[in-house]
Every structure is written in C-alpha cells, then in structure tokens.
Amino acid sequence: MKLPGHDAMARQADEQLVTSRVKLPRRAVQRPLRQVGKRLLMALAVLALTVLIVWVDRAGYHDNADGSVSFLDSVYYATVTLSTTGYGDVVPHSDGARLTNVLLVTPLRVLFLIILVGTTLEVLTERTRDEWRLNRWRLRLRDHTVIVGFGTKGRSAIETLTATGLKKEQIVVVDPGSKVIEAANAAGFVGVVGDATRSDVLIRAEVQRARQIVIATQRDDTAVLVTLTARQLNRGAKIVAAVREEENAPLLRQSGADAVITSASAAGRLLGLSVLSPSAGAVMEDLIQQGSGLDLIERPVIKAEVGLDVREADDLVVSVLRGHRLIGYDDPAASPLQLTDRLITIVRAGKGASLNYPE
C-alpha cells in the first residue's frame, strides 16, 4: 500500500503522548489556577483596604498590650477580623471606630469570606460537575456521527452535515491533538483526544452506537486502521473514508468502508473539468458545496411519484437507488418508480430541508 506524505495526526501523536479523554464544549472560562489567582488578588485587595481603614482610624482603637495601635497592629487586626478569629486584644473603643466596623469592616469581612468560600467550592465541585455532564452526555447520545480528523477534510464534512440539518450535539470529533480538540470545542462540538486507531479511543466516542462515521485522516494507512477498528466495533454504521491515492480505495472498501472518496483524484478531475469547461466546473463545485445554489440530495420516493417515469418526478433525478443497486436516470430499468426507491436528485439549495422528506 502506498504511504503518501507525512500525517499530521501521527506527527502530533508522536510529539506528545496524550491520554485519551472526552472534552465537552463549554463556554469560555478561565483556567482554575487563573481563577484562584484572580480571587486571591481580590482577597488581598480587601485585606489591604481593611488595613487602610483601621490605620486611618487607629486613634479609635485600643491595643491591650501597649495601648497604642501601630501599622503592624492594623494589619494584625484586619487579618484576624476578616478571618473571623477575633482574639480581642485589639478592639475599637471609640464610637467612630465601632461605626466604621459596622458599616465598612463587616461588609468587607463578608466579601472576604465569599471570595474564599466561593473559590474553594468551585474548585471542589468542578470535577464533579464535569463528570455529571459527561455521564449525562453518554446517556443521551444515540445515532450520532463520529468525525475522525478535524483537518480541512473533516471540517468540510462537518459543514456539509450541519448545512443539511444535523445538530452539533450529534457530532463527535476524534483527533490526537489537544489544541485541535479545543478548536472543535470552541465550534460547539464534543471532542475526544486520542489515536483513533485504538479501540478504547473510539469507544470513548461511543462509536459502537454511532449511525455514521467519517474518516478524514491525512494518511491512507491510518484510514485503513481506523476503518478496521470502527467496523469491528460497529457492524451497522455507515462508514465513509477519504484516501489520497486511488490505488488504496479498494483496500478501504475491503476494510469495511461503505464509500471511499479519493481526494487527490477528485480534486484533479475537477481541475481538469474546469480547464475544459469553466462553467461545468462551476456547476460541479456548486453541487458539492451544500447550502448554496444547487444541492445534490438523496430522498425517498413520495406516494404521488409511485408508478411515474423518472423524468416525471418533482425534481431533476440523476440516479435511482433500488435496494443496493444504483440505476442511472437514462436506464429503462429506473422507470416506473417504486415506493421503496430512493432518488438522487438536484434541487435548489434549501428545498430538500424545507420539504422534510420522511426517512
């Protein structure tokens, strides 16, 4: 088998060994250590403000040791007061100092406690919250789509799927790069960090319960291994894989792929077609770009079309899928249309989604 190029996924896996894990998309939040540091600075600011208040009004305070309140005594009093220790060796004795304690120091004490307790609770409950979200996600995940590889091909596949109405919650991205998965999370997709050729990584992506699997790796041998592993875990899922070299396509099909797309050859044919006929090339590019201009869709035959000739269907029919047989529109066997047939048609963008054809 030909091994083209250097695989970005393999390179990232070699550069850093990453423990496979599921990463759910979340709102942009600061890292825990940064949050703790920020709140510690806030607590220190509250302490400094309290020290300043006591120091300015030090004449209204009494130190049982020597009777006078120094700057160190102010720091000491502010510390034991905010921490609610309150030894009582430094106390406010004037009416002004006591009023200041009621109106200023007490609210600062409450704020200080809120900062410390809030930080502690957040750090302690963060892991529990993540575990709860992960378990809830696993229980709700059914008939989803697994995308292996979040490069150019993987992103393009996701754009096409979401353009046809697939929800982001039903897509799971698998990639060995932590930064790549972070980008997927930022886009709203669940990500699994790890090598997709390993069964435990695909199990974390719940591939055994997936409806369809898209394999968009950069190396053909990686695609073969992922296809073999995915097919072993899920016998019924539709697997679509991309390869660079056309000579490796039969091997992908033997490994369990239902459809194989030769990316290099497809791009080359589109380039050649655009040279011969720029208009024809533009039409082909429009057809493969979902959501704009013309779309190529697969839909069932509706009752009103049963028994009709292919040319009498509501849409422009390209092929008829009858069982596992794909019949061209000009084949006499394509007509009349049957209720169990599925049609490959060209429609105006958005029409297929608006008609809500039953599956």
Side-chain angles (χ1 to χ4, degrees), residues 84-141:
T84 68
T85 305
Y87 293 114
D89 44 356
V90 179
V91 295
H93 67 86
S94 69
D95 293 339
R98 292 174 179 174
L99 183 61
T100 300
N101 265 260
V102 172
L103 298 180
L104 296 179
V105 177
T106 298
L108 288 174
R109 180 189 302 119
V110 174
L111 178 61
F112 186 82
L113 292 176
I114 289 175
I115 293 173
L116 293 185
V117 174
T119 301
T120 303
L121 290 177
E122 183 171 351
V123 171
L124 291 176
T125 59
E126 183 176 1
R127 183 176 296 274
T128 302
R129 182 171 61 248
D130 289 344
E131 288 292 335
W132 179 82
R133 290 183 65 214
L134 182 59
N135 292 332
R136 182 168 174 264
W137 169 76
R138 290 189 185 281
L139 289 174
R140 298 176 61 182
L141 194 64

Side-chain angles (χ1 to χ4, degrees), residues 160 164 212 238 240 258-259 287 290 294-302 305 315-326 339-348 351-353 355-359:
T160 300
T164 58
Q212 47 202 13
K238 178 188 292 184
V240 179
D258 297 291
L287 286 175
Q290 198 75 17
L294 298 175
D295 282 347
L296 191 65
I297 66 168
E298 177 182 333
R299 69 169 180 85
V301 172
I302 60 178
E305 296 172 331
D315 302 323
L316 179 59
V317 177
V318 178
S319 298
V320 177
L321 181 61
R322 183 166 297 157
H324 295 287
R325 182 187 176 194
L326 192 61
L339 186 60
T340 55
D341 290 343
R342 295 188 68 83
L343 305 180
I344 311 299
T345 66
I346 297 176
V347 299
R348 180 62 57 185
K351 180 182 178 183
L355 291 177
N356 293 321
Y357 295 114
E359 292 295 334

Side-chain angles (χ1 to χ4, degrees), residues 234-248:
N234 191 328
R235 298 290 181 182
K238 178 188 292 184
I239 299 180
V240 179
V243 292
R244 285 179 174 270
E245 304 297 334
E246 193 167 2
E247 64 189 59
N248 295 328

Side-chain angles (χ1 to χ4, degrees), residues 22-270:
V22 179
K23 299 182 71 174
L24 301 178
R26 61 176 63 190
R27 295 176 182 174
V29 294
Q30 294 179 340
R31 296 179 178 179
L33 290 179
R34 184 175 298 178
Q35 289 183 354
V36 172
K38 182 179 179 180
R39 296 189 181 189
L40 180 60
L41 291 176
M42 293 172 60
L44 292 175
V46 172
L47 176 61
L49 180 59
T50 307
V51 171
L52 178 62
I53 292 174
V54 175
W55 173 247
V56 170
D57 196 24
R58 60 187 178 279
Y61 290 81
H62 177 74
D63 185 358
N64 294 332
D66 55 11
S68 62
V69 176
S70 64
F71 180 76
L72 180 60
D73 293 331
S74 300
V75 176
Y76 168 76
Y77 175 78
T79 303
V80 297
T81 299
L82 292 181
S83 62
T84 68
T85 305
Y87 293 114
D89 44 356
V90 179
V91 295
H93 67 86
S94 69
D95 293 339
R98 292 174 179 174
L99 183 61
T100 300
N101 265 260
V102 172
L103 298 180
L104 296 179
V105 177
T106 298
L108 288 174
R109 180 189 302 119
V110 174
L111 178 61
F112 186 82
L113 292 176
I114 289 175
I115 293 173
L116 293 185
V117 174
T119 301
T120 303
L121 290 177
E122 183 171 351
V123 171
L124 291 176
T125 59
E126 183 176 1
R127 183 176 296 274
T128 302
R129 182 171 61 248
D130 289 344
E131 288 292 335
W132 179 82
R133 290 183 65 214
L134 182 59
N135 292 332
R136 182 168 174 264
W137 169 76
R138 290 189 185 281
L139 289 174
R140 298 176 61 182
L141 194 64
R142 292 290 188 282
D143 296 332
H144 58 290
T145 300
V146 176
I147 308 292
V148 180
F150 199 60
T152 303
K153 291 181 290 187
R155 286 187 174 93
S156 299
I158 289 178
E159 289 176 2
T160 300
L161 291 171
T162 53
T164 58
L166 185 64
K167 297 180 179 179
K168 290 185 176 181
E169 295 79 10
Q170 287 297 107
I171 296 177
V172 180
V173 177
V174 181
D175 196 282
S178 297
K179 292 183 179 180
V180 175
I181 294 301
E182 288 177 4
N185 290 159
F189 304 108
V190 175
V192 177
V193 182
D195 183 2
T197 61
R198 297 174 51 184
S199 58
D200 61 316
V201 174
L202 292 181
I203 289 175
R204 288 181 181 272
E206 299 293 332
V207 76
Q208 65 275 16
R209 295 189 292 185
R211 174 181 293 182
Q212 47 202 13
I213 304 167
V214 177
I215 301 174
T217 60
Q218 298 299 318
R219 283 182 59 147
D220 292 358
D221 56 341
T222 304
V224 171
L225 292 175
V226 175
T227 302
L228 286 169
T229 308
R231 181 55 75 199
Q232 183 181 16
L233 294 173
N234 191 328
R235 298 290 181 182
K238 178 188 292 184
I239 299 180
V240 179
V243 292
R244 285 179 174 270
E245 304 297 334
E246 193 167 2
E247 64 189 59
N248 295 328
L251 184 56
L252 262 294
R253 295 189 180 92
Q254 293 175 12
S255 301
D258 297 291
V260 180
I261 307 300
T262 309
S263 56
S265 297
R269 293 189 185 99
L270 185 57

